Amino acid sequence: MTVNERQAANVIRLAASRVEEIVRGRFQEIDVTAEINQSRVLESFRKHRVSEAHFYPSTGYGYDDEGREVLEKIYADVFATEDAIVRPQIVSGTHAIATVLFALLSPGDGLLYITGKPYDTLLKVIGSNDQKSGTLLDLGINFQTTPLHDDGTINKKEVTRLLKENVKVVAIQRSRGYAERPALTVEDIAEMISFIRRQNKDVIIFVDNCYGEFVETKEPTHVGANIMAGSLIKNPGGGLAKTGGYIVGRGDLIARCADRLTAPGIGKETGAMLYSLLDMYQGFFLAPHVVSQALKGAVFTAALLEELGFHTAPRWRERRGDIVQTVRFQSKEELLAFCRQIQAYSPVNSFVQPMPAALPGYADPVIMAAGTFVQGASSEFSADAPIRPPYTAYVQGGLTYEHVKIAIQHAVRAVLQNSL
Ligand SMILES: *Cc1c(COP(=O)(O)O)cnc(C)c1O
């Protein structure tokens, strides 16, 4: 080690042990949340008498797949909804959300996003005049959105005005995506839902729950959301699900989504689960704990970087609505050094050097550090960043807290060496 390296290593080791003391109270709160969620999941497994037979792979049409039917009942229980779709044929979170939107919206209907511009990949689903074919816009669905206020609350005046315009679905995005705003807590979402309900009893309220599952003891469907969707390679897959997505909600809405996902008349009755059942059951069982590990990793990351003078969001003390942590660096070089070390301290592809690259849908090149077992799984520890000021890295996931703690210290060391 050079003098700089030794100096940086010492600074970080000391800061890390101070920080772990400071965050102890937060970690205890996270443990309590995990225990409550674990209990809800376990109760549902017991109630449905899950046995080895439920893990048996189905093939072909997948008729009478008992494992699939019970898994969907468990999701419905845990999210307190009438019904659920949990399938490997849902290829991603975007696909789950698109299925909901195409199922529920007909020509002439309105879709209103009250939490600002939706996640990048959903803009493609909604469509634009340049890229219209096959999109919601192409079907004659009217899309509107209004940004959140700086304090994270909805623009009530605008929402009230827009609600009068034949809106069929009101959409709420819990996590922030690449936007500069905090993730919503379930309490924030509850307030939004009761505001909408006071004005319109019938409008369907949909929540994009990606990155939010098991972060709190309640989910948006516990506080009035009619339908919700997410990805199994994020929180609810518990790191074990190899692919898939879920949709949970009111029975009539889920039936429409099932007809859209498969075909009218077929609905939920088919869909071979192949070899996905064991991973999905075991992953969902582990998910409350795995999410707690990711949350502790995020709190540690925030606290360590704050201690060293960096800007973070959320700050370590703040309430969290998702598992995403952002850290802001002074320069492109610091940002790249940080992301490269996250990759270098991953269990898979540690020897790969991530490079900023152009990605469809993004204005600036993006660097992605992800040495994950399941391709692109952000329940596993990963970092990504658009290469543009203010040089913000989005850090999320972690199957074990210990991994995040180790990797973050190496990443921060590289940043400090860079600036010493
Ligand atoms: C991850 C994510 C999605 C879906 O992304 P996929 O990569 O398609 O799984 C949608 N919305 C939000 C807020 C997300 O974080």
Side-chain angles (χ1 to χ4, degrees), residues 92-95 97 119 121-122 173 175-177 208 210-211 231 233-234 378:
S92 66
T94 304
H95 185 200
I97 295 162
Y119 193 71
T121 57
L122 291 162
Q173 183 180 304
S175 188
R176 85 186 100 174
D208 170 353
C210 282
Y211 284 138
S231 163
I233 63 168
K234 294 182 180 174
S378 41

Side-chain angles (χ1 to χ4, degrees), residues 110-119 123 126 142-148 154-155 158-159 161-163 165 167 169-173 181:
L111 166 65
L112 172 61
Y113 255 87
I114 62 171
T115 49
K117 226 169 64 161
Y119 193 71
L123 295 174
I126 290 161
N142 179 34
F143 168 69
Q144 301 209 268
T145 178
T146 162
L148 291 169
I154 51 170
N155 184 335
E158 255 315 89
V159 169
R161 187 179 72 77
L162 293 170
L163 262 179
E165 298 183 12
V167 171
V169 175
V170 167
I172 295 171
Q173 183 180 304
R181 62 144 170 112

